[in-house]
Amino acid sequence: MHEYPITEQIVKIASEKAKENNARRVTRITLVVGEYSGFIGESIQMYFDIISKGTLCEGAVLEMENVKAKWRCPSCGIDYIRKPLSFACPQCGQDGEPTTIGKEFYVKNLEVET
Ligand SMILES: [Zn+2]
């Protein structure tokens, strides 16, 4: 449900950028969605279809790059994707710490038609 306001923002920003560039419409929006960003890609897509109607974003392809959360081992210093039900480092077995990888959420790229 909280994807609604964020999707509104995406449509607003993309439409403004298109206008700035004298584009006729937005053709593609690439989003980076981290596993722990708190946002669900399917929900954003659903709201996007509704909100974009009648805007410069109508009909644009919403592309999502999903980022898996990574953990960092305090001993080895490596970043890794944890296995289900485990936080253990794949090299030494010590429990890792969460990193910022997987929390990202942003518009990476925008394609417009002029
Ligand atoms: Zn380790």
Side-chain angles (χ1 to χ4, degrees):
M1 198 59 193
H2 65 285
E3 279 83 3
Y4 192 91
I6 199 79
T7 310
E8 259 184 332
Q9 280 297 313
I10 293 164
V11 170
K12 191 169 161 251
I13 291 163
S15 299
E16 276 168 9
K17 285 272 172 224
K19 263 182 219 150
E20 274 171 28
N21 292 290
N22 295 316
R24 278 188 298 166
R25 66 185 198 95
V26 178
T27 51
R28 181 184 291 267
I29 300 168
T30 308
L31 290 179
V32 175
V33 185
E35 187 183 0
Y36 291 167
S37 67
F39 296 111
I40 300 162
E42 289 83 37
S43 298
I44 295 169
Q45 179 71 65
M46 190 185 78
Y47 290 131
F48 182 80
D49 292 343
I50 301 163
I51 297 166
S52 65
K53 281 217 166 60
T55 74
L56 291 177
C57 294
E58 187 171 350
V61 175
L62 197 58
E63 189 179 50
M64 285 181 237
E65 288 181 10
N66 296 300
V67 180
K68 281 267 184 201
K70 283 195 177 169
W71 300 75
R72 182 165 297 144
C73 174
S75 299
C76 314
I78 59 158
D79 291 342
Y80 58 93
I81 294 166
R82 74 179 180 94
K83 293 200 172 74
L85 306 175
S86 164
F87 296 95
C89 166
Q91 278 189 27
C92 69
Q94 195 178 330
D95 278 356
E97 291 154 359
T99 66
T100 53
I101 303 163
K103 289 180 182 151
E104 47 282 267
F105 183 83
Y106 57 91
V107 176
K108 185 187 176 190
N109 193 35
L110 208 61
E111 282 175 29
V112 296
E113 194 180 279
T114 49

